[in-house]
Amino acid sequence: MTHPTAPAGLLRRMTSRSPYEQHRAATPLELFFDLCFVVAVAQAGVRLVHAFAEGHFGSGVLGYVLVFFAIWWAWVNFTWFASAYDNDDVFYRLAVLVQIAGVLVLAAGVPRAFDDANWAVCIAGYVVMRLAMTCQWLRVARHNSGAERATALKYAVGLALVQVGWFTVLFVPEGTRLYLFVVLAAAELSVPLVAERGFHTAWHPHHVAERYGLFTIIVLGETVTAATVAVQEGLDEHEALGELLSIAGGGLLIVFAAWWIYFAAPAQERLTSMKRAVQWGYGHLFILGSAAAIGAGIEVAVEQVTGQAHISPVAATGTVTVPTALFLFTGWFLQARHVKRDVAEKALMPVTVLAVLACTFLGTWGVLAAGLVMSVTVAFGVALSARPDSDALRKPRAA
């Protein structure tokens, strides 16, 4: 089935698209969907900055992880569903609109969740998104038969049951909510694993890899925006101009190197089985979450230099270097390590992770140092891949 250029009437049959389509690319609706989701990511980043600036590292990280998981998981479910069943009819577009509305409601509730532990608005927005996804799976069940219909029904029932669980979070004692969050998050992650037994949906490897790559770029772009705003606000502090410029320069180097490193290995060549796809897709929670946290960390570093953050220079720098190291390690673990040939290539990224973490202890100038370390890593990686037998890099080894 080829992707329609425009919706044909109100409804089209929601049958699976071929995973072998040529030139399959992200649609304008998918790109719009991503941009709306980044609004929620930005809100989570803003609250993380406030928490770190006040030295509330534990509660800040916890709140950020809970909010980001909801945003990321709703995005993941739509992405894989759309790769298999995007028929682009009017009902499909309206269902996507409902999901966008849901994430905007979730974003509006982020400040209450962080500041007052009031999760009502966030949960309401999340449930709206998931119910729209449930309706999409019911359409798949209606228009298909056999094992494919059974898989769609398992998705729909699983999603509906978990949403009931999220609704009950609002009525349990506050002290038990975290435990229920963990249980429900595990249940969310298990729905695809259970539903796909016996029948695998026809997602498109190149399309999925492109969608993840594009969302990673958008999140990194949001990081640049956040860092720019932070530096603009701090430029009135002329005495700290040198430190501010070092943070801005180091942050730009980090983000650009992160982009370069992420796209150095072709992700679609790893997506050859459901097991690999699950590992790669789920692992992006850490890649995307850390990418967004880098921007928050740069803002914290700027606020520390200008006297607005009540933490030490080392702690402020750590809010940049730790998520940067997590981004690098996860990207290496999920993708890059599978295309490395010898000791030099295999050791490059782990050594970089340790070097970036070590930059934390340089204090105010640690962000710039981390950016320079990553720039050197990119240079070494380019040199190593340019060797005569570099074609081997394009042949991932078996897991």
Side-chain angles (χ1 to χ4, degrees):
M1 173 181 175
T2 58
H3 189 279
T5 57
L10 181 63
L11 295 175
R12 300 171 62 96
R13 288 186 59 81
M14 188 163 274
T15 53
S16 60
R17 299 179 61 169
S18 171
Y20 306 106
E21 288 182 38
Q22 297 295 316
H23 311 296
R24 178 75 186 273
T27 66
L29 180 59
E30 288 173 328
L31 297 178
F32 181 62
F33 182 87
D34 290 356
L35 288 174
C36 294
F37 265 60
V38 169
V39 172
V41 172
Q43 284 296 311
V46 168
R47 307 318 295 181
L48 184 63
V49 170
H50 290 172
F52 280 175
E54 296 299 323
H56 303 151
F57 295 102
S59 60
V61 170
L62 178 60
Y64 177 76
V65 169
L66 294 177
V67 170
F68 194 89
F69 175 84
I71 300 166
W72 165 80
W73 187 239
W75 180 87
V76 165
N77 276 221
F78 169 76
T79 296
W80 290 82
F81 177 89
S83 188
Y85 292 106
D86 179 7
N87 66 357
D88 199 36
D89 65 5
V90 172
F91 189 94
Y92 178 90
R93 292 185 175 191
L94 292 178
V96 174
L97 172 63
V98 172
Q99 293 181 75
I100 291 173
V103 77
L104 296 180
V105 172
L106 188 154
V110 168
R112 292 179 175 84
F114 267 79
D115 300 340
D116 305 319
N118 182 348
W119 291 90
V121 177
C122 281
I123 289 176
Y126 183 74
V127 171
V128 167
M129 290 188 289
R130 307 302 282 143
L131 290 179
M133 196 75 256
T134 302
C135 291
Q136 296 279 47
W137 281 113
L138 289 175
R139 288 192 69 198
V140 174
R142 180 185 177 186
H143 295 153
N144 294 277
S145 60
E148 188 170 7
R149 181 175 187 275
T151 292
L153 288 175
K154 284 188 284 186
Y155 266 111
V157 171
L159 289 175
L161 290 176
V162 177
Q163 300 328 297
V164 173
W166 285 116
F167 185 71
T168 63
V169 169
L170 301 177
F171 303 99
V172 301
E174 186 174 333
T176 63
R177 286 179 182 174
L178 178 59
Y179 302 103
L180 189 54
F181 275 141
V182 173
V183 171
L184 291 171
E188 289 276 14
L189 294 172
S190 67
V191 169
L193 304 181
V194 174
E196 298 269 347
R197 290 178 180 174
F199 180 88
H200 296 321
T201 51
W203 44 269
H204 194 291
H206 286 263
H207 177 247
V208 168
E210 181 189 29
R211 294 285 292 112
Y212 272 77
L214 290 172
F215 197 55
T216 301
I217 289 174
I218 294 174
V219 172
L220 288 173
E222 174 60 31
T223 292
V224 173
T225 301
T228 301
V229 172
V231 173
Q232 285 177 340
E233 293 176 350
L235 283 179
D236 292 335
E237 303 288 338
H238 299 294
E239 295 181 0
L241 184 58
E243 290 91 338
L244 288 173
L245 291 177
S246 75
I247 293 171
L252 180 59
L253 290 175
I254 287 172
V255 173
F256 189 74
W259 164 82
W260 193 307
I261 291 168
Y262 178 87
F263 288 98
Q268 63 271 13
E269 295 184 10
R270 288 289 303 159
L271 303 181
T272 56
S273 68
M274 192 62 189
K275 179 180 178 180
R276 289 184 178 181
V278 167
Q279 293 172 345
W280 182 86
Y282 284 18
H284 268 72
L285 171 63
F286 302 99
I287 289 181
L288 294 169
S290 59
I294 292 171
I298 294 173
E299 290 190 62
V300 172
V302 169
E303 291 192 5
Q304 194 282 324
V305 167
T306 57
Q308 301 175 58
H310 309 296
I311 56 177
S312 69
V314 170
T317 301
T319 63
V320 180
T321 56
V322 171
T324 299
L326 179 59
F327 180 94
L328 294 173
F329 178 80
T330 309
W332 168 80
F333 184 81
L334 294 177
Q335 294 180 185
R337 69 188 178 97
H338 300 289
V339 296
K340 302 306 180 183
R341 300 166 295 173
D342 53 27
V343 174
E345 292 186 358
K346 292 177 181 178
L348 181 60
M349 197 55 60
V351 169
T352 301
V353 170
L354 295 176
V356 167
L357 290 174
C359 292
T360 305
F361 302 100
L362 297 178
T364 303
W365 299 94
V367 176
L368 177 59
L372 293 174
V373 166
M374 292 183 65
S375 300
V376 171
T377 297
V378 169
F380 268 103
V382 171
L384 291 172
S385 64
R387 291 176 297 175
D389 56 344
S390 60
D391 286 344
L393 284 173
R394 303 187 181 91
K395 300 176 181 178
R397 64 176 176 81

